[in-house]
């Protein structure tokens, strides 16, 4: 995440009952170290963090994690490697027709249930939505034809589909710009950041072997990668030994987890001030890594999807940074030589997240007898019936 130097050092006097942790600590620096470690993990391991804080013993570290991380609703989550699951990460920008726009949320909810829609956002504007789908690779053609049917039926006026064969990755809120102690954006930050953020790696095109239990485990790790294994085993109805086998030998070793990041269990704490800027950049013949490296240096970056011909970027930031960040991103796109780009500005609350337990359950409900299933005609009939309600 970079060497953290704060304009406003955050120093906290620990309570006497915190035993050895009774000196002053630079909590921003501690969060920087924690985030840097977490974002290189495939599996959350609290014990491995001890080496990052040589000035603290294990008990002190436990107090820090308990009092300043977990008790504040901060949790590690996983970025899922969809390619290893045989799913093609796809963006579809949809302009709904005037007639259907009032029921757009019904169509999206039904598409989440019967299709492979995993998240969406409503940018500022009339009838446009930016939707994200994890489409089984063998059904990509049928999925596109379903959207052609939406055109024919008058549900949408136009759409653009962009598939990404590269990796997608979420990032923790950067301590340069976000105050983890207060759970809110900072008023000031260091504008020039020499970031040490790294992408977790390229996404293999080879599909891994996995089963329904592996998918269930991924869903739990998406909500919180720090969930106790005994709790996970009981929730899934398996023994701890069976859980451990699937977690280590399948989920981790077979690359179903790309990386981890820190997130808030209840982001409503700061959602009121938070704005989202999504950028779909079509790089053409330019090197997408040039744009990716430049985006990593912007501390408001929250998500990146890198493909061979396009890059999807998502920035989360306080509303007062809207124009300055838009200018910064626009300058980066120009320097990177992209062919074209679409900007979508949204309220944070307009982003429908995959961390919702219901949406993950709906996704894996379509994994049957060891394979992904999809019936485009049945999905279309279900959506027609929903819109007719």
């Amino acid at each position: 995440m970079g060497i953290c130097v704060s304009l406003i050092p955050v120093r906290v006097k620990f309570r006497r009952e915190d035993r050895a942790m009774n000196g002053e600590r630079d909590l921003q620096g501690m969060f920087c170290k924690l985030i840097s470690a977490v974002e290189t993990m495939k599996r959350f391991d609290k014990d491995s963090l001890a080496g990052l804080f040589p000035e603290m013993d294990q008990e002190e570290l436990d107090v820090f994690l308990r009092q300043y991380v977990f008790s504040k609703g901060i949790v590690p989550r996983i970025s899922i490697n969809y390619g290893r699951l045989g799913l093609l990460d796809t963006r579809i920008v949809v302009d709904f027709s005037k007639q259907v726009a009032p029921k757009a949320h019904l169509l999206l909810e039904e598409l989440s249930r019967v299709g492979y829609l995993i998240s969406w956002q409503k940018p500022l504007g009339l009838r446009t939505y930016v939707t994200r789908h994890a489409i089984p690779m063998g059904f990509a053609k049928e999925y596109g034809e379903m959207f052609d049917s939406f055109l024919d039926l008058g549900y949408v006026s136009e759409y653009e589909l962009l598939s990404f064969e590269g990796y997608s990755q979420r990032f923790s809120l950067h301590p340069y710009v976000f105050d983890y102690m207060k759970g809110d954006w900072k008023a000031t930050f260091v504008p020039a950041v020499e970031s040490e953020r790294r992408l977790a790696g390229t996404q293999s095109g080879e599909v891994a072997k996995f089963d329904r239990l592996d998918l269930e485990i991924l869903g739990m790790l998406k909500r919180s990668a720090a969930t106790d294994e005994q709790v996970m085993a009981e929730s899934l109805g398996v023994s701890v030994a069976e859980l451990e086998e699937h977690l280590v030998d399948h989920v981790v070793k077979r690359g179903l987890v790309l990386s981890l990041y820190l997130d808030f269990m209840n982001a409503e704490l700061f959602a009121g001030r938070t704005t989202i800027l999504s950028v779909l950049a079509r790089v053409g013949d330019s090197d997408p890594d040039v744009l990716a490296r430049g985006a990593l240096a912007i501390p408001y970056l929250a998500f990146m999807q890198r493909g061979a011909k396009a890059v999807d970027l998502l920035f989360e930031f306080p509303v007062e940074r809207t124009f300055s960040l838009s200018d910064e991103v626009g300058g980066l796109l120009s320097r990177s030589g992209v062919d074209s780009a679409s900007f979508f500005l949204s309220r944070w609350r307009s982003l429908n997240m995959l961390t919702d337990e219901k949406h993950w359950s709906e996704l894996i409900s379509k994994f049957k007898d060891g394979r992904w299933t999809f019936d485009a005609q049945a999905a279309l009939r279900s959506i027609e019936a929903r819109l007719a309600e």
Side-chain angles (χ1 to χ4, degrees):
M1 295 292 296
I3 300 173
C4 292
V5 180
S6 175
L7 288 179
I8 307 176
V10 180
R11 307 187 73 84
V12 175
K13 187 77 171 181
F14 285 80
R15 297 196 305 266
R16 185 179 303 277
E17 58 267 29
D18 288 344
R19 302 180 65 163
M21 288 181 66
N22 59 0
E24 291 186 345
R25 307 291 194 195
D26 182 346
L27 288 174
Q28 175 175 282
M30 294 171 73
F31 268 106
C32 282
K33 289 181 180 180
L34 177 62
I35 289 170
S36 294
V38 166
E39 290 191 347
T40 62
M41 291 179 175
K42 307 294 183 182
R43 176 186 180 186
F44 184 73
D45 182 5
K46 185 181 67 174
D47 295 337
S48 70
L49 297 174
L52 292 173
F53 305 97
E55 73 279 12
M56 300 168 61
D57 60 28
Q58 187 64 52
E59 185 177 359
E60 291 176 318
L61 178 59
D62 288 343
V63 171
F64 166 66
L65 292 175
R66 184 172 62 251
Q67 183 172 329
Y68 296 99
V69 182
F70 300 132
S71 69
K72 291 183 175 292
I74 302 172
V75 295
R77 302 189 196 271
I78 62 168
S79 289
I80 296 174
N81 195 336
Y82 288 104
R84 296 289 283 165
L85 295 175
L87 300 172
L88 189 60
D89 215 330
T90 304
R91 300 298 172 282
I92 305 181
V93 181
V94 184
D95 287 331
F96 286 99
S97 65
K98 183 178 180 180
Q99 293 73 24
V100 171
K103 293 186 175 182
H105 64 288
L106 297 179
L107 187 151
L108 295 174
E109 289 173 2
E110 193 64 17
L111 189 54
S112 176
R113 190 181 70 83
V114 300
Y116 284 86
L117 175 63
I118 58 176
S119 68
W120 63 88
Q121 66 184 97
K122 175 66 179 74
L124 300 179
L126 285 177
R127 298 182 289 271
T128 299
Y129 283 76
V130 180
T131 65
R132 184 184 181 193
H133 307 250
I135 305 171
M137 294 175 182
F139 292 110
K141 180 180 178 182
E142 289 89 337
Y143 213 84
E145 290 174 347
M146 179 178 65
F147 271 80
D148 288 338
S149 297
F150 291 164
L151 279 173
D152 296 338
L153 292 167
Y155 294 167
V156 304
S157 55
E158 62 177 321
Y159 75 91
E160 179 186 17
L161 186 152
L162 292 171
S163 294
F164 295 84
E165 295 179 354
Y167 44 79
S168 64
Q169 187 172 345
R170 278 290 308 270
F171 298 97
S172 312
L173 297 174
H174 202 304
Y176 272 115
V177 297
F178 190 84
D179 188 335
Y180 278 87
M181 297 305 301
K182 296 179 180 179
D184 203 353
W185 298 103
K186 291 183 177 180
T188 59
F189 72 100
V190 180
V193 177
E194 186 176 345
S195 176
E196 293 183 1
R197 274 178 166 170
R198 294 288 183 268
L199 290 172
T202 57
Q203 179 165 292
S204 170
E206 181 181 353
V207 178
K209 293 182 179 179
F210 62 94
D211 57 27
R212 178 64 176 261
L213 180 56
D214 299 328
L215 295 175
E216 297 279 5
I217 291 172
L218 286 173
M220 298 193 75
L221 297 177
K222 189 68 180 173
R223 293 191 294 278
S224 173
T227 304
D228 180 79
E229 291 181 12
Q230 179 69 46
V231 174
M232 292 178 66
E234 292 176 358
S235 176
L236 295 172
V238 299
S239 67
V240 174
E242 185 177 1
L243 173 78
E244 182 74 13
E245 177 186 358
H246 280 260
L247 177 60
V248 175
D249 295 337
H250 295 191
V251 172
V252 176
K253 290 185 177 179
R254 293 178 182 174
L256 305 186
V257 174
L258 187 68
S259 63
L260 272 67
Y261 63 98
L262 289 187
D263 196 11
F264 279 81
M265 189 67 75
N266 180 14
E268 288 294 324
L269 296 172
F270 59 94
R273 292 186 56 219
T274 301
T275 306
I276 294 172
L277 175 64
S278 293
V279 181
L280 287 173
R282 304 157 193 83
V283 297
D285 295 328
S286 301
D287 184 356
D289 286 337
V290 175
L291 176 57
R293 286 193 297 269
L296 287 171
I298 299 177
Y300 291 115
L301 179 70
F303 172 89
M304 180 188 296
Q305 174 85 38
R306 179 207 173 281
K309 295 296 183 181
V311 177
D312 181 15
L313 304 172
L314 187 144
F315 302 90
E316 296 178 352
F317 54 96
V319 63
E320 60 267 22
R321 296 287 178 192
T322 301
F323 293 108
S324 60
L325 180 63
S326 298
D327 289 343
E328 184 176 2
V329 174
L332 171 62
L333 294 171
S334 297
R335 295 191 301 274
S336 302
V338 303
D339 280 3
S340 64
S342 301
F343 282 54
F344 302 97
L345 195 64
S346 311
R347 297 180 304 162
W348 187 89
R349 290 188 178 91
S350 78
L351 182 62
N352 179 286
M353 301 294 287
L354 185 60
T355 48
D356 186 319
E357 182 177 356
K358 173 187 174 186
H359 294 153
W360 184 255
S361 297
E362 289 174 340
L363 177 69
I364 65 176
S365 69
K366 292 178 277 287
F367 186 77
K368 301 175 181 178
D369 299 323
R371 63 185 182 89
W372 297 108
T373 60
F374 179 64
D375 185 333
Q377 291 304 314
L380 191 59
R381 289 194 298 270
S382 180
I383 290 169
E384 287 182 289
R386 186 69 186 275
L387 291 178
E389 293 178 357

